[in-house]
Amino acid sequence: MGFSTDAIHWGQKPDKESFSVIPPIYLATTYARKFDEEAPFVYSRTQNPNRKMLEENIAKLENGKYGFAFSSGVAAVTAVMQLLKPGDHVITTKNIYGGTLRVFKEMQKWGIKFSFVDMTQVENVERELKNETKLIFAETPSNPFLYLTDLKRLAELRDSFNREILIAVDNTFMTPYLQRPLELGCDIVIHSSTKFLNGHSDVVGGIVVTNRDELQKPLWYIQRAFGAVPSPFDCWLLLRSIKTLAVRIKQHCSNAKRVAIFLSVHPKVKRVFYPGLPSHPQYELAQRQMKDFGGVVTVDLGSRDNVKKFVENLKIFTLAESLGGVESLVNHSWSMSHSSVPEEEKRELGLTEGIVRLSVGIEDVEDLISDLEQALEKI
Ligand SMILES: Cc1ncc(COP(=O)(O)O)c(C=O)c1O
């Protein structure tokens, strides 16, 4: 079946009792059972019908075997890190969502060792591989600079060193419609489903998908034992949203490309970061690895002062955290998404106070460009 057919139907059937086409929301916390008999659902933290439908659906879309839903993207990242034990070594990068970096810092207190490298060159990862390495963690495209990691090449490198090392990929910016890391040889996909998967800025959630049989039990144990699970209502909302994922993403991509081209020739814009522009240093990889280039465009406006004037004059783009909703948002990475990263580290990453990240929504693109144009005139 095609992507949208699976997105709309997989894991869900009309309700057996009421025949409702859309499955009901099962708010029950607990389920009646027969003494000494196995039951499909026991207690809602452990599993419930809405979460099960969502987990089966997203696993299918990522071409994985097992899906796990969490109460946030950060909880999903944490669950993957909880697969490790003290002394284990992780290779990752600092060019990553600030909250994920914060989780990594917390994990160091528990004895997990980290090597942070520039993952735009996978040879940098190769240099850090050692016997204790248990996980390679990539975010591609990365937040906020949209740097890419060559996932196929990364998996090949890992295979030639030790197939047991896990590769986890944060696929939040792409969704399975644009990029499927498991098909490229990686082992775990992570999402902040708060973003494009949900797409309506009304659910906080996280997803982990894997095709490794040996990870099914540990991930399920972590999910139910630590209990960072989403509510049945949030799972129901996410399933509803995923039905329109393909059409939304196509429009996000088309609008973002037009916005990126407009900004790339604007005299007030110092630099545009977008993997769909030939000026992106990894444009060739972007074309190979991704079906399209996504809905996020990052720009350098030169200074905090310029950013202030720009965001205060925007009328359609809203200054807000997050991304991936149908409405366009603007984020000042320095003071918002990356506020938890120390100043010195931000500068090392090339993150200055002039950087803004646009989440290009699916409004009429002419309106979005006019909005950006009039706000840039105020700088
Ligand atoms: C790439 C990426 N991963 C993970 C997260 C964390 O997700 P959440 O905010 O749902 O916990 C975010 C949030 O912005 C993100 O952008």
Side-chain angles (χ1 to χ4, degrees), residues 74 94-95 98 113 131 142 172 187 193-194 244 247 249 254 291 300 308 317 338 342 352 355-356 364 368:
V74 156
K94 286 196 175 169
N95 249 309
K113 308 264 188 299
N131 290 341
S142 67
T172 298
D187 309 288
S193 47
T194 316
T244 58
V247 285
I249 295 291
S254 153
K291 186 170 173 179
D300 185 355
K308 186 171 189 302
F317 282 82
H338 286 64
T352 63
I355 301 284
V356 289
D364 293 291
L368 296 180

Side-chain angles (χ1 to χ4, degrees), residues 280-297:
H280 189 284
Q282 295 166 295
Y283 180 56
E284 187 273 322
L285 171 62
Q287 288 172 298
R288 197 160 23 97
Q289 182 159 284
M290 298 139 65
K291 186 170 173 179
D292 207 336
F293 307 108
V296 178
V297 180

Side-chain angles (χ1 to χ4, degrees), residues 72-75 77 97 100 139 141 143 170 172-173 191-195 204-206 322-323 357:
S72 70
V74 156
V77 170
Y97 167 60
T100 301
E139 184 181 289
N143 186 353
D170 187 325
T172 298
F173 275 35
H191 284 278
S192 165
S193 47
T194 316
K195 310 296 180 330
V204 172
S322 202
L323 56 100
R357 186 191 71 202

Side-chain angles (χ1 to χ4, degrees), residues 40-52:
F41 302 104
V42 173
Y43 182 61
S44 195
R45 166 162 47 79
T46 317
Q47 187 52 298
N48 63 68
N50 296 105
R51 198 168 93 211
K52 185 165 184 284

